[in-house]
Amino acid sequence: MKKLLGLVILGFIVTSSVVALARPSLLVVYPPNNHQTNSEKIFFIGTAPPDGKVLINGKAINRSQAGHFAPSFPLQLGENLFTVSHQNQQLEIKVTRLATVAELPQGLAFAKDSLIPVADIAKLPGELICFSAIAPPNASVSVNLANQTIALVPQPQQIRLPSNLAALTGNNQPYAESIPVRYEGCTTFQQAVSLTPIDGNNMIADGKSVDLGKPEFQLTLNGETITQPGTGKIQILSPANLEVAEVVVDAGVARTGPGTDYSRLTPLPKGTQASITGREGEWLRLDYGGWIHSRETRVLPGAIPPRTTIRSVGYRRIPGTTEIVFPLQVPVPVSVQHSDDHFTITLYNTTAQTDIIRLDDDPLISRLDWQQVAPEQVKYAFNLKKSQMWGYKLRYDNTTLILALRHPPTRGRKRRKPLSDIKILLDPGHGGKESGAVGPTGYTEKEVNLVVSQLLRDELVKLGATVVMTRDSDIEVSLGDRMAMIHREEPAIALSIHYNALPDSGDAENTKGIGTFWYHPQGHSLAVFLHNYLVKKLNRPSYGVFWNNLALTRPTAAPSVLLELGFMINPQEFEWLTNSQEQKKLSKALAQGIVEWFKSRVG
């Protein structure tokens, strides 16, 4: 999954166009020279002729029968120099380990870039506003803002969380880290509106937000004091005069917090409107709780907070799809949850006046229930007849919300082949300038992805399937275009074909196996079934089954699964995955696994 960068031959970085047959006598494909990382260790991926030893800093390393290697070495903070040698050849590679925390300042100073908030923020009256800074121990630190002084207190040792990628290496536990002294403190501002004089003795509330300006940080140590302005301004919003945002992209990316590090929520359909109840930099907090980047919205001048009632709920069936129609007065935020036999949709800023719902005897839905679960929050719960969902779409048609639920794929009774009338989308990962992971010889993931996808396509066509490919040559296709193709084509299933790598902290020498990734519950059964089938049928190691927020597992229009069929960076597994006969066996097994899964789901 991790993209390995250039190749390093005799100490020089070259492009990753070298293939397995054009192999120099000594090759290191990763890390590139002058590589920088936060990891405590690094692995070396490369190859050399099987005769003789390969030494890294004078230590002989293990190699596969073909001469490939992938050892790991610890890193010290700062520059680490490595010498890789084989017989009379030698490579010099420098790897720099970067510090993960700010350095303690020398003397009377705040640590560089340690003042928080960094960006402009806006909050409602009464919400906590917190400040922090890194400064020398035994100092006195405070913040002055709007005639208020907030003391910042030194905090105990911080517990850190590893990145999400740590789940891929099995080392995702919190850990205590020795860091410079961090001073923190919080306050609130109750004033919601500014006051405007109307004569000598009277004031009126003008209903506007209040700009408090930038906080001023103060540091006192050994009798000396310095002040430094923060970089982010503070604003207190007026609840009576909130701006309204409208989503202007097809699927606005809603998140749990103000940044791409935060988890995704249900995408907001184009046209969704909501009040802005907070800001942090370019991120907007909407009234139902989700955050969205401002570039995916526009502000509606003069709009009042969007609120709607809902009365009857409609139903219509079109070929292959059941549509549920929610007539609203304004497009409001929505969220979706579903499991094997339930699908729920929640409408926010909505009050129910529902007395009538039409729902005929339907291929998918046995019953629809609704409940006002909170003020201005209505939940519609669909009880499903089958445990497998086949995809859904959500859109606004003016102010009417339309939920389209796809029916199971149908196959004619006189079919002669097991996948007749079944459309399958195959996505060979990467392509063009996106090489993906790189094996020890320089052979790239994008190449083997395409080879195996084409072999799989041929097997599926023999079995009667209609196969759509996101690419059938070495071209670059964006993730957005691949996702859009799934949405447009509406296949029965979508499979993205990949081969794996690891973060720098991983064990490339010993990690191998097939892994599968899913995101929506409708893809879970497919992921688990194909994973278990391939592991057993091919007698391959299991890397595991993962819920993962990946672009090619996120489409809702069809059960979408991403397959990592082996590790490019593992010396032994690389030999297996590049073997043409083994590739054919893999493709046949995968095609047969797809047949067996459809039998279990459709009959």
Side-chain angles (χ1 to χ4, degrees):
M1 297 172 70
K2 173 181 139 184
K3 180 178 177 181
L4 300 181
L5 304 177
L7 311 185
V8 181
I9 302 178
L10 299 179
F12 295 93
I13 300 177
V14 300
T15 63
S16 55
S17 60
V18 180
V19 297
L21 298 178
R23 188 172 97 185
S25 53
L26 175 62
L27 174 67
V28 174
V29 301
Y30 192 82
N33 194 25
N34 296 314
H35 179 61
Q36 295 184 338
T37 181
N38 292 322
S39 176
E40 296 180 351
K41 62 180 181 178
I42 191 75
F43 49 70
F44 285 76
I45 309 299
T47 192
D51 58 308
K53 294 181 179 180
V54 171
L55 307 177
I56 298 183
N57 286 352
K59 178 182 178 181
I61 59 174
N62 295 325
R63 296 202 285 156
S64 70
Q65 186 174 359
H68 310 324
F69 53 83
S72 292
F73 288 87
L75 295 175
Q76 297 179 336
L77 283 173
E79 292 185 359
N80 296 259
L81 299 178
F82 294 91
T83 300
V84 186
S85 59
H86 175 258
Q87 296 181 347
N88 61 345
Q89 291 188 298
Q90 185 170 292
L91 308 178
E92 300 288 341
I93 298 175
K94 181 174 73 174
V95 178
T96 301
R97 178 184 166 192
L98 304 174
T100 57
V101 297
E103 294 184 9
L104 184 66
Q106 299 296 317
L108 188 66
F110 291 105
K112 183 181 179 181
D113 300 327
S114 72
L115 303 185
I116 295 177
V118 175
D120 294 349
I121 64 173
K123 294 202 172 186
L124 293 171
E127 288 191 292
L128 276 179
I129 301 173
C130 295
F131 309 89
S132 71
I134 293 177
N138 304 315
S140 176
V141 181
S142 62
V143 163
N144 294 311
L145 179 65
N147 298 319
Q148 186 177 139
T149 299
I150 304 102
L152 306 190
V153 181
Q155 300 300 301
Q157 189 177 44
Q158 189 169 355
I159 300 298
R160 287 189 167 268
L161 295 175
S163 76
N164 275 295
L165 294 177
L168 302 175
T169 60
N171 184 25
N172 66 335
Q173 294 302 305
Y175 60 95
E177 185 172 56
S178 298
I179 62 172
V181 180
R182 182 178 295 277
Y183 295 79
E184 296 184 352
C186 301
T187 189
T188 60
F189 289 87
Q190 298 299 328
Q191 187 175 353
V193 295
S194 60
L195 298 178
T196 301
I198 58 174
D199 58 37
N201 300 310
N202 298 301
M203 306 285 284
I204 62 168
D206 61 14
K208 295 181 180 178
S209 301
V210 178
D211 291 320
L212 303 180
K214 293 182 179 180
E216 186 174 81
F217 289 78
Q218 181 171 292
L219 168 61
T220 299
L221 182 66
N222 298 327
E224 297 183 79
T225 298
I226 62 166
T227 60
Q228 183 175 326
T231 57
K233 293 186 295 185
I234 312 295
Q235 184 183 47
I236 304 300
L237 300 174
S238 168
N241 195 26
L242 297 176
E243 292 182 309
V244 174
E246 179 184 54
V247 176
V248 296
V249 295
D250 287 338
V253 179
R255 294 185 179 273
T256 57
T260 56
D261 287 342
Y262 288 90
S263 300
R264 288 176 179 251
L265 301 171
T266 300
L268 298 176
K270 187 175 183 179
T272 300
Q273 297 178 18
S275 299
I276 300 171
T277 62
R279 295 178 181 265
E280 185 165 329
E282 297 297 315
W283 290 84
L284 310 178
R285 184 181 63 190
L286 304 183
D287 53 21
Y288 81 109
W291 290 77
I292 189 170
H293 198 281
S294 59
R295 66 169 172 263
E296 297 189 337
T297 69
R298 70 184 180 106
V299 172
L300 300 177
I304 63 172
R307 297 292 185 273
T308 185
T309 56
I310 183 168
R311 293 177 180 168
S312 64
V313 175
Y315 165 90
R316 61 195 183 206
R317 196 187 305 174
I318 59 178
T321 304
T322 292
E323 290 191 341
I324 305 296
V325 181
F326 302 89
L328 305 171
Q329 297 162 304
V330 64
V332 294
V334 297
S335 65
V336 165
Q337 288 183 315
H338 68 92
S339 59
D340 286 344
D341 54 2
H342 282 81
F343 183 97
T344 62
I345 181 169
T346 301
L347 281 60
Y348 298 89
N349 301 331
T350 301
T351 302
Q353 296 178 347
T354 299
D355 284 334
I356 298 177
I357 295 176
R358 177 183 174 179
L359 182 62
D360 299 348
D361 185 21
D362 186 78
L364 299 178
I365 306 166
S366 62
R367 192 177 72 248
L368 169 58
D369 302 321
W370 73 269
Q371 184 180 8
Q372 186 89 40
V373 293
E376 300 185 336
Q377 187 173 326
V378 184
K379 179 177 289 186
Y380 293 87
F382 297 84
N383 297 277
L384 305 178
K385 291 182 175 179
K386 302 286 186 179
S387 61
Q388 177 63 49
M389 280 191 58
W390 294 95
Y392 70 92
K393 294 181 179 180
L394 200 58
R395 74 182 192 276
Y396 272 111
D397 185 358
N398 294 319
T399 64
T400 297
L401 180 67
I402 299 175
L403 170 64
L405 298 171
R406 293 185 59 199
H407 295 172
T410 57
R411 295 181 288 170
R413 292 186 177 181
K414 295 182 179 180
R415 65 183 184 272
R416 297 180 179 179
K417 297 181 179 180
L419 294 179
S420 295
D421 303 322
I422 298 291
K423 181 192 285 188
I424 296 173
L425 183 140
L426 297 181
D427 169 53
H430 306 289
K433 291 184 288 187
E434 293 293 328
S435 63
V438 180
T441 66
Y443 188 54
T444 60
E445 181 195 351
K446 68 174 183 177
E447 296 172 86
V448 68
N449 289 346
L450 184 58
V451 169
V452 171
S453 295
Q454 290 171 332
L455 291 171
L456 176 58
R457 174 198 60 195
D458 295 343
E459 292 296 327
L460 293 172
V461 169
K462 291 177 187 176
L463 295 167
T466 299
V467 179
V468 177
M469 301 272 284
T470 59
R471 68 179 182 98
D472 55 14
S473 61
D474 186 20
I475 60 173
E476 188 169 348
V477 183
S478 72
L479 293 176
D481 287 344
R482 296 170 198 247
M483 296 169 69
M485 192 176 295
I486 297 174
H487 188 84
R488 181 177 66 250
E489 293 288 341
E490 295 186 350
I493 61 172
L495 300 179
S496 189
I497 305 299
H498 287 256
Y499 285 84
N500 221 339
L502 289 169
D504 286 343
S505 59
D507 184 354
E509 192 171 45
N510 296 303
T511 304
K512 61 177 67 173
I514 292 170
T516 57
F517 297 78
W518 62 279
Y519 183 66
H520 297 292
Q522 63 192 19
H524 177 254
S525 167
L526 179 61
V528 173
F529 188 96
L530 292 182
H531 178 270
N532 292 342
Y533 190 90
L534 292 177
V535 167
K536 182 177 180 180
K537 193 78 172 179
L538 299 172
N539 193 28
R540 299 302 303 170
S542 168
Y543 179 57
V545 179
F546 299 83
W547 178 88
N548 203 342
N549 178 10
L550 300 170
L552 271 299
T553 60
R554 283 199 299 269
T556 64
S560 301
V561 169
L562 186 143
L563 301 172
E564 297 278 2
L565 296 171
F567 277 83
M568 295 288 293
I569 59 177
N570 180 279
Q572 289 79 22
E573 194 153 66
F574 177 77
E575 295 174 18
W576 170 78
L577 64 88
T578 54
N579 183 301
S580 60
Q581 294 305 311
E582 295 297 332
Q583 290 172 345
K584 291 176 183 178
K585 291 180 184 178
L586 168 63
S587 301
K588 286 181 180 292
L590 185 49
Q592 193 57 44
I594 292 169
V595 169
E596 295 301 321
W597 182 79
F598 271 106
K599 285 182 180 179
S600 71
R601 293 283 137 173
V602 181

